[in-house]
Amino acid sequence: MPSPIHPGRVDWTGENPGIYLKHEQDGPWTGLATFFRVVYSPYGMGSGVLVLDQPNVASGLPEVHNFCVSDNEALARFLVDNFFSRFASFRVSPGVGAITYVAATEVQRAGDTRSRYQEIVRAEGFEVVMTWGGLGQPYAVDMPAEKGPTKAHQMYSLFIDAEEAEVTINGKPLAGRIAIRDFADTKKSTAFLAFSESWMQVAPAAAQGNAS
C-alpha cells in the first residue's frame, strides 16, 4: 500500500476563504476577495486579505481599491504570485497584476462557522470586512494537481459554502452578488469558507503527465 504521508513539499497550510461577486452569472467579476490565515509557509506565518474592488481595472491605490492588506508582506507576495493570481476568478482579472500592498494593523474573526462568520482586516485608513451567511454543511476536498489552479500542487481542504455574502471596504460593499462556480466537477457557491487547507508540491513529471 502507498505511504499515508504525502511525499511532496508543503508550500503552505492554513485558511483561505473567498467571496467572488458578479452582477450576472455570465458576466464579468465585479468584486473579488480572498482571505488568508497561514500557519506554515517558507515565509513564516501571517494573515491578510486580497481585494479587487474593480477587478477589470489594471490599477491599485489610490485610483481604485485593488490591494492586499497583510501582516507579512513577503508571505502575501508569495501567495499572490504563486497561488491567488492563478485562481480562476483572479487569473482573468487585470487588477490582480496591479495591486498595492498595505501593512495590516489588526486581523480578527467573528461569528460562528455554523451560521454566520466574518473576517475583519484593518490597516491605516482601511477596514475590510468579509461576511458569510447561510452556511451549509462542510465537505472535504482532495484536489489533484491536474484539476487545480497551479497544476503543480495537490490541495486538501475543508469547505463550507455560503448562501449569502458581502465584502465591505470602509463600510462600502463591493458591487455584485454571489454566483455559481465550477469546482471539483460540481457547481458551488462563489462564497465559501476554506479551512485546514494545505498545498503540497507534486513531482513535475507527474504533474505534466496528468495535465496532458
Short mmCIF file of all heavy atoms in Angstrom, two decimals, residues 146-171:
data_model
loop_
_atom_site.label_atom_id
_atom_site.label_comp_id
_atom_site.label_asym_id
_atom_site.label_seq_id
_atom_site.Cartn_x
_atom_site.Cartn_y
_atom_site.Cartn_z
N GLU A 146 -3.71 18.11 -11.50
CA GLU A 146 -4.17 18.41 -12.85
C GLU A 146 -5.49 19.17 -12.88
O GLU A 146 -5.82 19.82 -13.86
CB GLU A 146 -4.29 17.12 -13.67
CG GLU A 146 -5.38 16.16 -13.22
CD GLU A 146 -4.89 15.15 -12.20
OE1 GLU A 146 -3.84 15.40 -11.57
OE2 GLU A 146 -5.56 14.12 -12.03
N LYS A 147 -6.24 19.13 -11.78
CA LYS A 147 -7.50 19.87 -11.72
C LYS A 147 -7.38 21.16 -10.93
O LYS A 147 -8.33 21.94 -10.87
CB LYS A 147 -8.58 18.99 -11.09
CG LYS A 147 -9.00 17.82 -11.97
CD LYS A 147 -10.18 17.08 -11.37
CE LYS A 147 -10.64 15.96 -12.29
NZ LYS A 147 -11.83 15.25 -11.74
N GLY A 148 -6.22 21.40 -10.33
CA GLY A 148 -6.01 22.59 -9.52
C GLY A 148 -5.47 23.76 -10.32
O GLY A 148 -5.09 23.61 -11.48
N PRO A 149 -5.43 24.95 -9.74
CA PRO A 149 -5.03 26.15 -10.48
C PRO A 149 -3.55 26.22 -10.82
O PRO A 149 -3.19 26.83 -11.82
CB PRO A 149 -5.44 27.29 -9.54
CG PRO A 149 -5.42 26.68 -8.18
CD PRO A 149 -5.89 25.27 -8.38
N THR A 150 -2.69 25.65 -9.98
CA THR A 150 -1.25 25.77 -10.25
C THR A 150 -0.73 24.65 -11.13
O THR A 150 0.35 24.77 -11.71
CB THR A 150 -0.44 25.75 -8.94
OG1 THR A 150 -0.46 24.44 -8.37
CG2 THR A 150 -0.98 26.77 -7.95
N LYS A 151 -1.46 23.54 -11.24
CA LYS A 151 -1.05 22.35 -11.97
C LYS A 151 0.23 21.73 -11.38
O LYS A 151 0.81 20.85 -11.99
CB LYS A 151 -0.85 22.65 -13.46
CG LYS A 151 -2.10 23.17 -14.16
CD LYS A 151 -3.21 22.13 -14.14
CE LYS A 151 -4.44 22.56 -14.93
NZ LYS A 151 -5.25 23.58 -14.27
N ALA A 152 0.65 22.18 -10.20
CA ALA A 152 1.87 21.67 -9.58
C ALA A 152 1.65 21.28 -8.13
O ALA A 152 2.60 20.86 -7.46
CB ALA A 152 2.98 22.70 -9.68
N HIS A 153 0.42 21.43 -7.62
CA HIS A 153 0.15 21.16 -6.21
C HIS A 153 -1.10 20.29 -6.05
O HIS A 153 -2.10 20.52 -6.72
CB HIS A 153 -0.07 22.45 -5.42
CG HIS A 153 1.11 23.35 -5.36
ND1 HIS A 153 1.43 24.22 -6.37
CD2 HIS A 153 2.06 23.50 -4.39
CE1 HIS A 153 2.52 24.89 -6.03
NE2 HIS A 153 2.92 24.47 -4.85
N GLN A 154 -1.01 19.35 -5.14
CA GLN A 154 -2.20 18.68 -4.65
C GLN A 154 -2.70 19.50 -3.46
O GLN A 154 -1.90 19.97 -2.65
CB GLN A 154 -1.89 17.25 -4.22
CG GLN A 154 -3.11 16.45 -3.80
CD GLN A 154 -2.82 14.97 -3.67
OE1 GLN A 154 -1.69 14.54 -3.86
NE2 GLN A 154 -3.83 14.19 -3.36
N MET A 155 -4.02 19.66 -3.37
CA MET A 155 -4.57 20.51 -2.32
C MET A 155 -5.64 19.75 -1.53
O MET A 155 -6.54 19.16 -2.11
CB MET A 155 -5.17 21.78 -2.93
CG MET A 155 -5.69 22.80 -1.91
SD MET A 155 -7.43 22.52 -1.44
CE MET A 155 -8.28 23.08 -2.91
N TYR A 156 -5.49 19.77 -0.21
CA TYR A 156 -6.51 19.24 0.68
C TYR A 156 -7.19 20.42 1.38
O TYR A 156 -6.52 21.35 1.80
CB TYR A 156 -5.91 18.34 1.77
CG TYR A 156 -5.11 17.15 1.31
CD1 TYR A 156 -4.02 16.70 2.05
CD2 TYR A 156 -5.44 16.47 0.14
CE1 TYR A 156 -3.28 15.61 1.66
CE2 TYR A 156 -4.70 15.36 -0.26
CZ TYR A 156 -3.61 14.93 0.50
OH TYR A 156 -2.89 13.85 0.11
N SER A 157 -8.49 20.35 1.57
CA SER A 157 -9.16 21.42 2.30
C SER A 157 -10.56 21.00 2.74
O SER A 157 -11.13 20.04 2.21
CB SER A 157 -9.28 22.68 1.44
OG SER A 157 -9.73 23.78 2.21
N LEU A 158 -11.09 21.71 3.72
CA LEU A 158 -12.47 21.58 4.14
C LEU A 158 -13.21 22.85 3.72
O LEU A 158 -12.75 23.96 4.03
CB LEU A 158 -12.56 21.40 5.66
CG LEU A 158 -13.97 21.25 6.23
CD1 LEU A 158 -13.97 20.28 7.40
CD2 LEU A 158 -14.53 22.59 6.69
N PHE A 159 -14.32 22.68 3.02
CA PHE A 159 -15.08 23.82 2.52
C PHE A 159 -16.47 23.88 3.16
O PHE A 159 -17.06 22.84 3.48
CB PHE A 159 -15.25 23.74 1.00
CG PHE A 159 -14.01 24.07 0.23
CD1 PHE A 159 -13.03 23.12 0.00
CD2 PHE A 159 -13.82 25.35 -0.29
CE1 PHE A 159 -11.88 23.43 -0.71
CE2 PHE A 159 -12.69 25.68 -1.02
CZ PHE A 159 -11.71 24.71 -1.22
N ILE A 160 -16.98 25.10 3.31
CA ILE A 160 -18.36 25.34 3.73
C ILE A 160 -18.90 26.44 2.82
O ILE A 160 -18.38 27.57 2.82
CB ILE A 160 -18.45 25.79 5.20
CG1 ILE A 160 -17.80 24.75 6.13
CG2 ILE A 160 -19.91 26.01 5.59
CD1 ILE A 160 -17.73 25.20 7.59
N ASP A 161 -19.92 26.14 2.05
CA ASP A 161 -20.48 27.12 1.12
C ASP A 161 -21.46 28.05 1.83
O ASP A 161 -22.12 27.66 2.80
CB ASP A 161 -21.18 26.41 -0.04
CG ASP A 161 -20.21 25.71 -0.95
OD1 ASP A 161 -19.04 26.14 -1.02
OD2 ASP A 161 -20.61 24.72 -1.61
N ALA A 162 -21.56 29.27 1.30
CA ALA A 162 -22.46 30.28 1.87
C ALA A 162 -23.55 30.65 0.88
O ALA A 162 -23.29 30.77 -0.33
CB ALA A 162 -21.67 31.52 2.26
N GLU A 163 -24.75 30.86 1.39
CA GLU A 163 -25.86 31.33 0.56
C GLU A 163 -25.91 32.85 0.48
O GLU A 163 -26.53 33.41 -0.43
CB GLU A 163 -27.19 30.82 1.13
CG GLU A 163 -27.34 29.31 1.10
CD GLU A 163 -28.66 28.86 1.71
OE1 GLU A 163 -29.33 29.71 2.32
OE2 GLU A 163 -29.00 27.67 1.57
N GLU A 164 -25.25 33.53 1.41
CA GLU A 164 -25.22 34.99 1.45
C GLU A 164 -23.79 35.43 1.74
O GLU A 164 -23.06 34.76 2.48
CB GLU A 164 -26.13 35.52 2.56
CG GLU A 164 -27.55 35.00 2.51
CD GLU A 164 -28.29 35.26 3.81
OE1 GLU A 164 -27.71 35.90 4.72
OE2 GLU A 164 -29.44 34.81 3.92
N ALA A 165 -23.38 36.55 1.19
CA ALA A 165 -22.03 37.05 1.46
C ALA A 165 -21.92 38.51 1.08
O ALA A 165 -22.65 39.01 0.21
CB ALA A 165 -21.00 36.23 0.70
N GLU A 166 -20.97 39.19 1.72
CA GLU A 166 -20.73 40.61 1.45
C GLU A 166 -19.29 40.93 1.81
O GLU A 166 -18.73 40.39 2.76
CB GLU A 166 -21.67 41.48 2.26
CG GLU A 166 -21.52 42.97 2.01
CD GLU A 166 -22.45 43.80 2.86
OE1 GLU A 166 -22.30 43.76 4.11
OE2 GLU A 166 -23.32 44.49 2.30
N VAL A 167 -18.70 41.83 1.04
CA VAL A 167 -17.38 42.38 1.34
C VAL A 167 -17.52 43.90 1.38
O VAL A 167 -18.05 44.50 0.44
CB VAL A 167 -16.33 42.00 0.27
CG1 VAL A 167 -14.96 42.54 0.66
CG2 VAL A 167 -16.28 40.49 0.05
N THR A 168 -17.06 44.50 2.47
CA THR A 168 -17.10 45.96 2.54
C THR A 168 -15.70 46.52 2.74
O THR A 168 -14.86 45.90 3.40
CB THR A 168 -18.00 46.45 3.70
OG1 THR A 168 -17.47 45.98 4.95
CG2 THR A 168 -19.42 45.95 3.52
N ILE A 169 -15.47 47.69 2.16
CA ILE A 169 -14.25 48.46 2.38
C ILE A 169 -14.68 49.78 3.01
O ILE A 169 -15.40 50.56 2.38
CB ILE A 169 -13.49 48.72 1.07
CG1 ILE A 169 -13.12 47.40 0.39
CG2 ILE A 169 -12.22 49.54 1.34
CD1 ILE A 169 -12.48 47.58 -0.98
N ASN A 170 -14.30 49.98 4.25
CA ASN A 170 -14.74 51.17 5.00
C ASN A 170 -16.25 51.33 4.96
O ASN A 170 -16.79 52.44 4.80
CB ASN A 170 -14.05 52.43 4.46
CG ASN A 170 -12.55 52.41 4.68
OD1 ASN A 170 -12.05 51.66 5.52
ND2 ASN A 170 -11.82 53.21 3.93
N GLY A 171 -16.95 50.22 5.10
CA GLY A 171 -18.40 50.22 5.14
C GLY A 171 -19.11 50.19 3.80
O GLY A 171 -20.32 49.97 3.75
#
